[in-house]
Amino acid sequence: MQLTRRQAFLATAFLASSCTNTPVDAFAPSSTTTTPSFLLKSAATADESTASAASSSSSDDATTTDPLLIRAARGEDVERTPVWMMRQAGRHMQVYRDLCKKHTTFRHRSEIAEVAVEISLQPWEAYQTDGCILFSDILTPLPGMGAEFEIDDKLGPVMKHPIETYDDLKTLHDIDPDTSTPFVKEALQELRKKVAGTDTAVLGFVGSPFTLATYLVEGKTSRDYLKTKRCMYTEPELFKQILQHLANNIAQYAKFQIESGAQLIQLFDSWAGHLSPRDYEEFAAPYQTYILDEIKKEYPNVPTVMYIKHSGALIERMAGTGVDVVSLDWTVDMAEGRDRIQAGRSAAGLEGTGGVQGNLDPGILFAPDEVIAERAHEILRKAGPKGHVMNLGHGIEAATSQEKAHFFIDTVRNFRH
């Protein structure tokens, strides 16, 4: 039986382990595995099932009154291309810098619901972006799994107890988002109220397992991820159990965000761009696929987006996970990216061309207005009128002027195909 790439991703995730709701003895090497029943089906049957699940997010029963960005992410016909910016709430805005003088730590700003709402709304109020994303962090759910961290002014996030052994892994537990992250629920609910009556979508996001695992294993941010790769290659079963534990819990956290008001979920696997294609297929894609499938089981019409920095070598594989929208960084030509997304979906047995997000180089926002407009228009024309969410190819730089950010948003909002 010839498996599609997507079925292979699912098989890898299944065989890694099932860490959730198991006694601590389950976090030990095992010598036997069981083949999942879905792999025993005929390839044709499995392909049909996968394609059906992939197309459900853009089915005709999805409401047509949803915000512009949500309709575009589903691949529906839209009146114009929606636009928002990754990291749009943050240091490039004076109101944010002023707020930081009162709320001096990032965790205070992101874990006090009232403050997180205020920050989330700042760029929406200033620029009229089509998406209002929750001000939070990919590490926010980790303490709820038993992985505490602090944010050092110079080092960034620092884990209190890095994961190096099976005994370390036993200290992790399942998340209860209502108990550990009630501020996320409160903030998302309030954001839905604040943007009610507009055509703005409230966006949630999560970190993907590989990127989160780098923090757990390295203990902090890294340039080369050598500790992570040493664990991958010398203790692959341990590393995969870390990944599966994260996948199980991040899937629950993503659904918690949807239930709290998020209308779209973006997966950030920021550091997966440090993986070779082979290692991506083994250590990242299966766990991304698991999360995406868990979301779609309960919320088939909620669009999903995936972003990986420096992902030029991985686009087909990203598309093969079944994500609705692949967010391209600025190193990929938009027209080529669209072709590669479609090819990746086809190789994985998925129907449809797939959506795309991005992908203006954030550095272009330091250029003259006419250059910003020319580059943005080029991307918009190459992406076409359907299935495109305009964005930057990475987060907006802190030194970007608000005037340039505003000009970029207005340029896209005024463009018509």
Side-chain angles (χ1 to χ4, degrees), residues 136-412:
S136 186
D137 192 85
I138 62 171
L139 302 186
T140 294
L142 290 186
M145 303 178 210
E148 294 288 345
F149 69 92
E150 297 177 347
I151 297 182
D152 183 274
D153 291 339
K154 295 182 179 180
L155 298 176
V158 178
M159 307 305 301
K160 289 188 176 180
H161 303 290
I163 305 297
E164 298 179 348
T165 67
Y166 280 98
D167 285 339
D168 294 333
L169 181 57
K170 292 176 185 179
T171 65
L172 299 182
H173 54 74
D174 290 341
I175 191 171
D176 178 0
D178 278 304
T179 300
S180 61
T181 57
F183 48 87
V184 168
K185 181 176 185 177
E186 184 180 345
L188 286 168
Q189 290 176 336
E190 186 62 22
L191 286 174
R192 285 296 296 272
K193 294 176 184 177
K194 293 291 187 181
V195 305
T198 72
D199 203 23
T200 304
V202 172
L203 314 179
F205 70 93
V206 296
S208 286
F210 176 79
T211 292
L212 294 178
T214 67
Y215 289 97
L216 293 181
V217 174
E218 301 279 343
K220 58 183 179 181
T221 56
S222 174
R223 290 184 178 181
D224 47 30
Y225 303 97
L226 292 183
K227 288 183 68 175
T228 299
K229 292 188 176 183
R230 184 181 296 115
C231 185
M232 284 168 47
Y233 300 133
T234 64
E235 293 279 0
E237 187 171 354
L238 170 62
F239 192 66
K240 289 178 181 179
Q241 288 196 18
I242 295 172
L243 292 170
Q244 190 61 49
H245 185 79
L246 288 167
N248 294 340
N249 284 274
I250 293 302
Q252 298 306 313
Y253 181 59
K255 290 187 285 186
F256 169 76
Q257 290 190 29
I258 295 168
E259 291 156 7
S260 300
Q263 296 166 287
L264 174 150
I265 295 292
Q266 177 153 324
L267 280 70
F268 285 92
D269 214 345
S270 306
W271 312 138
H274 288 264
L275 295 172
S276 68
R278 174 176 173 175
D279 287 336
Y280 174 81
E281 290 190 346
E282 183 172 358
F283 296 108
Y287 309 96
Q288 296 165 349
T289 301
Y290 176 87
I291 293 169
L292 293 166
D293 283 0
E294 287 297 301
I295 292 171
K296 291 298 185 180
K297 283 178 185 177
E298 295 187 39
Y299 303 102
N301 291 318
V302 173
T304 55
V305 182
M306 186 190 301
Y307 176 80
I308 299 174
K309 185 180 180 182
H310 299 316
S311 59
L314 304 174
I315 294 170
E316 291 86 353
R317 291 166 173 82
M318 292 169 67
T321 64
V323 70
D324 295 312
V325 178
V326 173
S327 190
L328 301 176
D329 75 5
W330 70 94
T331 65
V332 180
D333 178 82
M334 175 56 73
E336 294 174 4
R338 294 224 73 162
D339 288 344
R340 292 176 63 187
I341 290 168
Q342 184 171 2
R345 289 180 62 85
S346 177
L350 300 168
E351 293 182 343
T353 59
V356 65
Q357 180 173 266
N359 65 335
L360 187 74
D361 183 344
I364 295 294
L365 297 188
F366 294 94
D369 288 354
E370 58 269 24
V371 176
I372 297 173
E374 189 272 327
R375 295 295 187 92
H377 288 165
E378 178 185 12
I379 291 169
L380 289 161
R381 286 192 295 268
K382 287 184 175 181
K386 195 170 183 178
H388 179 216
V389 176
M390 186 64 168
N391 206 315
L392 304 176
H394 188 47
I396 187 170
E397 298 290 345
T400 307
S401 73
Q402 292 183 224
E403 291 76 17
K404 295 294 185 180
H406 206 319
F407 180 80
F408 165 63
I409 298 296
D410 284 348
T411 295
V412 179

Side-chain angles (χ1 to χ4, degrees), residues 74-94:
R74 289 196 190 119
E76 299 176 16
D77 292 326
V78 290
E79 53 274 27
R80 64 172 177 83
T81 300
V83 58
W84 69 285
M85 299 179 294
M86 288 184 282
R87 289 187 188 166
Q88 64 186 24
R91 292 173 294 168
H92 85 282
M93 300 194 72
Q94 184 62 50

Side-chain angles (χ1 to χ4, degrees), residues 119-135:
I119 296 171
S120 302
L121 292 172
Q122 287 172 350
W124 176 68
E125 293 170 341
Y127 309 135
Q128 290 79 55
T129 53
D130 294 303
C132 180
I133 190 166
L134 172 69
F135 183 78

